[in-house]
Amino acid sequence: MSKEEIKQTEETASSEEKDVSLETEASEEVKASEEKAEEEKTVSEEKPAEKEPETSEEPSKEESSADEKSEDEGSDEEESEEESEEESEEESEEESSDKKAFARGKKIEKGSKTYEILDWLRTICIGVLAGIFIVVFLVQRDDVYGSSMNPTLTQGDVLFTQKLSTYFKSYKRGDIVVLDGSGMEGYTGKEYLVKRIVGLPGETIRIADGNVYIKAADSADFYLLQENYLPSGIRTTMMDGGTKKGYDEITLGEDEYYCMGDNRPVSNDSRNLGPFEEKRIVSVAFIRVYPFNEIKIL
């Protein structure tokens, strides 16, 4: 081979080597660019993935705080509901236990609801019974009808009368009494009578000269009865029917009372009806409560 051929072959080999090296460099560059592109792609994919939690962190904090508040409120409500339920359960248990104890005859604890209810019922019952006892056995209200007790009592006056005297048979001259005149000859009314006791058991009563005279059971003489409760100038006279029956002078029995109204000219009383037996005395008046401007102890 000549030098020129050798040189040409060397040049072609070197050119081929250059081409191969260029190809390998190009392929390496392509490979590097592809790797770089893949890295950028992975980075770009990773960056939004990293940003997403950052952008979502702020609302998630607010939402979490709101959720925490709502959870706290919900827990508070649940706790209050649970407490109220527990209290109601305790109250119901107390009531049921009190009822069971009451049913078994056991002593109920002081301060419980059942104890308070029973205490109120006991107080009301005591008040009602006391009122009934007072009205039936001690004090009653009576209204005045008619004018037989004028001017001491007038039509429409309201009296309080006591019954204690009827139990002890304790009456005295001058007492204003409520009388039951039903069945007595000369009285047809249905109302009780309000009169004043003038003569006591055992005494002899004489009505003459417009006055009342009294003779005690152990005395032989009459004395003039001073009736300061009568208006001046009032005379006590008899009725024709009473005079015929002998009521102008009469000795009273052991349980008889001679009663008259203060308005002597019009009163229908012992001068016409005769003496009142003790059993006919219903009560004794002690106070006038109406009219309010004329309240007076009798």
Side-chain angles (χ1 to χ4, degrees):
M1 244 186 188
S2 65
K3 288 179 181 180
E4 290 178 0
E5 288 177 351
I6 292 167
K7 191 177 180 179
Q8 285 179 357
T9 53
E10 286 178 355
E11 286 176 0
T12 53
S14 62
S15 62
E16 286 177 359
E17 287 176 359
K18 286 179 181 180
D19 291 336
V20 170
S21 61
L22 288 172
E23 286 178 1
T24 53
E25 287 176 1
S27 62
E28 287 178 358
E29 288 177 0
V30 171
K31 188 176 182 181
S33 62
E34 287 177 356
E35 289 177 356
K36 190 176 182 181
E38 287 178 0
E39 288 177 0
E40 288 177 356
K41 189 177 180 180
T42 54
V43 169
S44 63
E45 287 177 355
E46 288 175 358
K47 280 183 180 179
E50 290 176 356
K51 287 180 181 179
E52 281 179 3
E54 288 179 0
T55 55
S56 61
E57 276 179 4
E58 292 179 358
S60 65
K61 286 180 181 179
E62 294 176 357
E63 289 175 0
S64 61
S65 61
D67 292 337
E68 287 175 358
K69 287 181 181 179
S70 61
E71 286 176 0
D72 293 336
E73 291 175 357
S75 61
D76 293 336
E77 290 178 358
E78 288 177 359
E79 288 177 358
S80 61
E81 287 178 359
E82 288 176 357
E83 289 176 357
S84 61
E85 286 177 0
E86 288 176 358
E87 289 176 357
S88 61
E89 285 177 0
E90 288 176 358
E91 290 175 357
S92 61
E93 286 176 0
E94 286 179 1
E95 289 178 0
S96 61
S97 62
D98 291 338
K99 288 178 181 178
K100 289 178 181 177
F102 181 74
R104 292 173 183 173
K106 292 182 179 179
K107 188 176 179 181
I108 297 171
E109 292 183 1
K110 193 173 182 180
S112 64
K113 282 192 173 182
T114 304
Y115 182 89
E116 291 177 1
I117 292 168
L118 291 174
D119 189 48
W120 273 105
L121 289 174
R122 181 179 59 184
T123 304
I124 293 168
C125 290
I126 290 170
V128 172
L129 291 173
I132 293 171
F133 177 81
I134 289 169
V135 170
V136 174
F137 298 103
L138 298 179
V139 178
Q140 69 180 29
R141 165 190 162 163
D142 289 288
D143 298 336
V144 176
Y145 297 96
S147 58
S148 68
M149 283 296 291
N150 284 359
T152 308
L153 300 173
T154 58
Q155 171 80 24
D157 285 0
V158 179
L159 312 176
F160 278 171
T161 61
Q162 53 87 9
K163 297 181 180 182
L164 284 174
S165 297
T166 62
Y167 304 133
F168 299 102
K169 315 298 182 186
S170 174
Y171 309 104
K172 62 183 184 295
R173 197 186 325 276
D175 283 348
I176 296 174
V177 293
V178 177
L179 301 164
D180 182 5
S182 60
M184 295 182 73
E185 187 179 352
Y187 184 69
T188 58
K190 296 180 180 179
E191 298 85 6
Y192 285 159
L193 298 166
V194 180
K195 306 296 178 184
R196 191 186 294 273
I197 293 177
V198 176
L200 299 173
E203 295 179 338
T204 300
I205 310 298
R206 177 189 289 174
I207 297 174
D209 305 325
N211 296 309
V212 179
Y213 297 90
I214 303 291
K215 184 178 75 170
D218 57 353
S219 176
D221 300 322
F222 285 91
Y223 67 89
L224 177 65
L225 178 64
Q226 300 294 328
E227 298 183 275
N228 298 325
Y229 41 79
L230 295 178
S232 61
I234 293 294
R235 292 173 59 83
T236 303
T237 57
M238 284 299 298
M239 302 173 184
D240 293 337
T243 302
K244 291 178 182 178
K245 296 174 185 176
Y247 297 150
D248 57 333
E249 184 173 335
I250 184 172
T251 300
L252 301 173
E254 293 181 356
D255 63 343
E256 291 181 336
Y257 294 84
Y258 203 93
C259 303
M260 291 189 283
D262 289 354
N263 191 4
R264 299 292 163 80
V266 302
S267 177
N268 185 18
D269 47 41
S270 290
R271 292 172 296 167
N272 182 53
L273 303 175
F276 289 87
E277 295 177 347
E278 189 178 84
K279 65 182 181 181
R280 290 186 178 275
I281 300 176
V282 178
S283 58
V284 179
F286 66 92
I287 187 172
R288 175 174 56 194
V289 296
Y290 184 84
F292 296 125
N293 60 343
E294 295 182 9
I295 294 174
K296 180 182 178 182
I297 301 296
L298 301 173

